[in-house]
Amino acid sequence: FCTTSVFWGRQVRYLSPRRAADAFDLMASLEGMSDGGCVYVTHDLFTADRQRVLDICAEKVRRGNRLPWECRTRIDLVDEELLTAMKDAGCRRILYGVESDSAQVLKAVDKGGRQAGHAFDVRAVLAQASKVGMASIVGVMAGVPGERADDVESSLQLMADAAVIDGCSLSMHWFNVTPGNGQRAVASAAHDFRLIPGLHADLVRGHDIPAGQVHGVQAGLIASDPEIFAGFRIFAPDWTTPRTLYLLTRNAHLLLEVLPRSLKACARAQGATLLQTLTELLTALADGAHCKVGDATDAANAANADEDHGTGRHGQRSASNPPWWPGPRAAEALAAEASEHGEPWDELLVL
């Protein structure tokens, strides 16, 4: 799923701990860095060589360099000793490419580390990081070819659990097909892989959003070469539609960061999944605000509605089950949750 090796190959040349510490010293000397500056180490797997990271941290501490920094890595490549050493050396936050809480999805995207066995406890590592004072970002994606609604539900439940761990924040991205990471597999699987005005994966600039943003010549190039400009094209697995994925990947993590318990409580009260609850809420909010995003897919969505049975293609429940937000069930669920966990409960104020 990652294009780093496609573009750059798998050969790596590391800086020695001394030279890495020199780079930190240089950054610390730049104007403005002493006034809240922070360094971001742009390495996909910074902790892959555990001993090297420990040596860099020790050298940075030895020099008295207190410049804050952040990095990225896989969540199975940290432990309490390493996290503590990094924290002592000024690391304040780590972005973990968790991607999914589904073993099937991890295998499908060839995600290393956790795909071999689903027994790895992501939540325990996040709690361990919090214990040593390290903030975490949990990076999750949706829209992977072959993905099911149950797979996304597992990831959303993980995100909700992570949100209540001190120092954890969330991010959710629409799986972005690029040359070398599955584009041909998507095409061969007959997925609807095309340009749709108003809809785009969040890691690209977007195709003509708003209208006129992309120059006509550029738009022509994007339209003419689906391989080079694959990132502008989108698709949705069978469980959903492009518009639903667009709404979910731009908003679900924000809602779950501030209302994880509330949303889980409302889902339980309705006998619904967290995916159904979020999808219904986001769709209602978008439609109620007269949101024009994705109008190009409205006709397709209407056609898909004829195929919906029970949970529906959008992850929504059928019309016989009313939405949760206007009725008394939501208030009852929240009251029960507050009673169980005690007051004060800040989420009630947010909601």
Side-chain angles (χ1 to χ4, degrees):
F1 75 97
C2 182
T3 59
T4 299
S5 61
V6 176
F7 286 101
W8 305 108
R10 292 192 175 275
Q11 290 187 339
V12 179
R13 184 176 65 182
Y14 289 111
L15 293 178
S16 67
R18 179 185 60 78
R19 290 191 62 190
D22 287 345
F24 276 115
D25 287 344
L26 176 61
M27 294 296 104
S29 69
L30 297 178
E31 183 178 356
M33 292 301 286
S34 60
D35 186 24
C38 179
V39 169
Y40 195 93
V41 180
T42 53
H43 187 303
D44 289 342
L45 292 173
F46 182 68
T47 63
D49 187 333
R50 183 178 183 277
Q51 187 57 53
R52 176 176 169 273
V53 175
L54 289 172
D55 292 342
I56 291 173
C57 291
E59 180 64 16
K60 187 173 182 292
V61 170
R62 187 189 69 79
R63 298 185 183 192
N65 185 316
R66 303 178 62 84
L67 182 66
W69 53 287
E70 302 182 8
C71 67
R72 297 177 291 185
T73 193
R74 260 188 0 223
I75 199 160
D76 60 304
L77 294 176
V78 295
D79 54 67
E80 186 170 2
E81 180 188 4
L82 184 59
L83 289 168
T84 301
M86 294 170 68
K87 177 67 169 58
D88 292 343
C91 185
R92 65 183 188 184
R93 186 167 63 174
I94 300 176
L95 167 60
Y96 298 105
V98 174
E99 318 309 354
S100 175
D101 201 40
S102 163
Q104 174 182 311
V105 171
L106 295 175
K107 182 178 180 180
V109 299
D110 197 22
K111 175 72 175 181
R114 289 164 49 230
Q115 65 165 296
H118 200 50
F120 187 84
D121 193 341
V122 173
R123 295 162 178 83
V125 176
L126 295 173
Q128 189 176 68
S130 178
K131 178 183 175 183
V132 305
M134 180 76 73
S136 302
I137 303 176
V138 180
V140 174
M141 61 187 181
V144 176
E147 172 188 79
R148 304 167 305 179
D150 289 348
D151 298 321
V152 180
E153 174 68 13
S154 295
S155 294
L156 292 173
Q157 290 288 343
L158 170 64
M159 293 166 70
D161 291 345
V164 300
I165 298 175
D166 189 33
C168 277
S169 56
L170 311 174
S171 69
M172 192 174 199
H173 301 286
W174 193 346
F175 180 76
N176 189 206
V177 178
T178 53
N181 81 337
Q183 176 189 333
R184 288 184 177 83
V186 172
S188 64
H191 281 279
D192 198 6
F193 187 54
R194 67 191 193 280
L195 288 168
I196 302 180
L199 297 180
H200 59 93
D202 53 296
L203 293 180
V204 299
R205 179 182 175 194
H207 180 64
D208 216 25
I209 305 170
Q213 175 182 333
V214 178
H215 188 276
V217 174
Q218 294 175 332
L221 288 173
I222 292 170
S224 67
D225 198 322
E227 182 170 3
I228 291 179
F229 298 102
F232 291 93
R233 287 159 170 79
I234 58 172
F235 70 94
D238 293 338
W239 68 269
T240 190
T241 65
R243 183 174 188 251
T244 298
L245 267 180
Y246 183 90
L247 293 173
L248 190 70
T249 53
R250 274 158 179 74
N251 300 285
H253 56 291
L254 303 175
L255 288 173
L256 287 171
E257 275 194 1
V258 295
L259 299 169
R261 289 168 52 194
S262 300
L263 290 166
K264 289 181 71 173
C266 289
R268 285 197 304 269
Q270 291 290 302
T273 65
L274 193 52
L275 174 60
Q276 290 166 342
T277 301
L278 282 163
T279 300
E280 290 173 359
L281 174 59
L282 291 170
T283 302
L285 290 173
D287 293 343
H290 306 290
C291 178
K292 298 301 182 182
V293 171
D295 284 350
T297 63
D298 284 349
N301 290 349
N304 290 331
D306 294 335
E307 303 174 5
D308 287 352
H309 303 285
T311 59
R313 191 167 186 258
H314 296 66
Q316 297 176 347
R317 290 166 291 141
S318 63
S320 60
N321 294 311
W324 57 268
W325 55 88
R329 281 189 175 183
E332 294 171 2
L334 297 177
E337 182 77 1
S339 175
E340 177 182 347
H341 291 280
E343 298 289 357
W345 187 19
D346 291 339
E347 286 187 36
L348 290 174
L349 301 178
V350 176
L351 189 61

